[in-house]
Amino acid sequence: MSYSVGQRIKDLREYFNVTQKELCDGICSQGLISRIEKDEVSPTAVVLEKIAKRLSVDMNYFFDDIFNYGNNYVEMMKNTIDKKIRECHYEEVLQLITLEKNSPLFKSDQLKQYMLWREAICIFHVKHDEKRALELLDSALKIVNSSPKIMSEYELHIYQSKAIIYSMTNKLELAAEIYKTLVQKINSLTHIKHKRLMINIYYNAGLNAYDRQDYAEALNLVDQAIALCIEEDYLYLLGQLFFLYGIVLFDHDHTNKEESLKYLDKALFIFTLKNNQAIIENVHEEKARIENVKATG
């Protein structure tokens, strides 16, 4: 779907409750603004720059999509939403999305998809509404009709969110089917820019395999993620993966006790560097659990 310059100007003007007369004052004639908004003519660079200033946006807003970073406000809002979700402040994010999702600034297909994805996560955690959350994720996936052979990074994120919801509601096999597809995709795609996404998929797929007691699959997936963490130097995620690998290794076979404790010590070292007290306590609890079990051979 094409989102023209004229339509963007009109949507933004109406969103801020500015008349054509107010917008064109000192810039051009009202007739020209009307024709621009109808896409009958294209504005000159000088006129467009003045319109952008009056509407308080970067000029690149009229051309950028989600993969370009000309619009500072959109990027600032996305970064805020992403950060608050990482910190589990779901109610705050839901309030932000409610305020912003109808803004013309978020009208491109990719940004609509982004907002639906983030709204679904918050709906699930705040309102515990699994059905509505999955409906929103499916709506997000329908916005961009890509080929089944091609999956964008946002689609990978959205599918992973579906799998996480299935896992959290004990639908482990449904989640496993999605993870199987995602792992196949990330192993075959060469264009993924953000390796953190690949690591997250390996991690969550490994966690799902662990929950299903498929320890061999869990170890394989976590091993791939650890290798990628080392390659990309993702320290915190590496700690999370050492931790998961250690407990999977032990629960898979109690004779791996000493090797398991070594992985937990590696995780503990990293988390101590990061000064994450909550997870440090969690690692100590798992170490105590494992140390209190006698290895059998």
Side-chain angles (χ1 to χ4, degrees):
M1 171 180 151
S2 176
Y3 191 26
S4 67
V5 171
Q7 188 64 52
R8 291 184 186 214
I9 292 172
K10 181 181 179 181
D11 286 347
L12 202 57
R13 176 179 63 76
E14 291 179 346
Y15 179 74
F16 289 123
N17 198 28
V18 174
T19 65
Q20 287 185 342
K21 184 177 180 180
E22 290 170 331
L23 178 60
C24 73
D25 186 34
I27 297 177
C28 61
S29 69
Q30 185 174 341
L32 180 58
I33 288 291
S34 178
R35 294 178 66 199
I36 289 171
E37 289 186 353
K38 293 176 182 176
D39 292 317
E40 294 177 354
V41 297
S42 297
T44 65
V46 173
V47 168
L48 189 60
E49 182 179 16
K50 290 179 179 179
I51 290 173
K53 286 182 179 178
R54 183 149 295 169
L55 293 173
S56 300
V57 295
D58 188 287
M59 188 171 170
N60 287 320
Y61 161 72
F62 298 111
F63 306 102
D64 284 349
D65 61 22
I66 199 165
F67 299 111
N68 297 316
Y69 302 118
N71 190 294
N72 292 332
Y73 180 79
V74 169
E75 283 308 305
M76 178 194 72
M77 184 57 61
K78 285 174 67 243
N79 290 337
T80 298
I81 289 172
D82 292 345
K83 182 174 184 293
K84 287 186 178 295
I85 282 185
R86 286 195 301 271
E87 295 170 348
C88 302
H89 296 157
Y90 301 114
E91 290 191 19
E92 292 182 37
V93 174
L94 200 54
Q95 291 173 2
L96 286 174
I97 290 173
T98 300
L99 289 171
E100 298 291 346
K101 67 179 180 180
N102 294 321
S103 165
L105 295 173
F106 291 90
K107 196 165 184 177
S108 71
D109 285 347
Q110 293 89 349
L111 284 170
K112 285 180 183 177
Q113 190 178 50
Y114 170 82
M115 295 295 265
L116 284 170
W117 167 44
R118 289 320 207 177
E119 184 180 6
I121 292 171
C122 296
I123 289 290
F124 178 74
H125 287 285
V126 174
K127 300 186 178 180
H128 311 292
D129 191 339
E130 175 191 357
K131 181 181 178 182
R132 180 57 181 158
L134 292 172
E135 287 174 350
L136 289 170
L137 292 174
D138 286 336
S139 295
L141 290 169
K142 290 176 183 176
I143 288 177
V144 179
N145 296 315
S146 59
S147 165
K149 294 183 179 180
I150 302 171
M151 198 176 286
S152 70
E153 290 189 26
Y154 267 99
E155 287 171 312
L156 291 172
H157 275 299
I158 293 166
Y159 276 114
Q160 181 177 219
S161 293
K162 286 189 70 172
I164 290 171
I165 288 174
Y166 283 139
S167 287
M168 293 182 71
T169 53
N170 207 33
K171 299 179 178 69
L172 299 179
E173 294 303 326
L174 287 175
E177 290 177 14
I178 295 176
Y179 283 128
K180 182 179 179 181
T181 299
L182 291 178
V183 170
Q184 288 173 345
K185 289 293 183 185
I186 64 174
N187 285 338
S188 62
L189 295 176
T190 58
H191 67 276
I192 296 179
K193 296 179 181 179
H194 301 102
K195 302 301 182 184
R196 187 186 186 101
L197 169 59
M198 297 177 67
I199 294 166
N200 277 329
I201 289 173
Y202 281 132
Y203 172 80
N204 284 304
L207 188 58
N208 172 263
Y210 175 63
D211 288 339
R212 290 183 288 108
Q213 297 183 355
D214 190 340
Y215 300 122
E217 182 183 354
L219 289 171
N220 177 55
L221 289 164
V222 177
D223 194 44
Q224 292 184 72
I226 288 173
L228 193 53
C229 270
I230 293 171
E231 179 184 336
E232 297 295 323
D233 194 27
Y234 285 119
L235 186 63
Y236 180 75
L237 282 175
L238 182 58
Q240 290 275 21
L241 288 158
F242 279 147
F243 179 43
L244 179 57
Y245 195 87
I247 61 175
V248 172
L249 194 64
F250 177 76
D251 288 332
H252 177 45
D253 186 347
H254 285 187
T255 63
N256 292 326
K257 178 176 180 178
E258 293 304 318
E259 189 69 13
S260 172
L261 290 171
K262 287 180 182 178
Y263 274 96
L264 294 186
D265 283 335
K266 290 178 183 179
L268 192 59
F269 174 73
I270 291 172
F271 294 138
T272 300
L273 289 176
K274 302 291 287 186
N275 196 29
N276 189 325
Q277 292 302 316
I279 200 163
I280 286 172
E281 291 176 9
N282 199 5
V283 176
H284 280 303
E285 289 173 1
E286 284 296 325
K287 283 191 66 178
R289 175 179 74 89
I290 292 170
E291 287 168 347
N292 288 331
V293 175
K294 290 185 178 180
T296 57

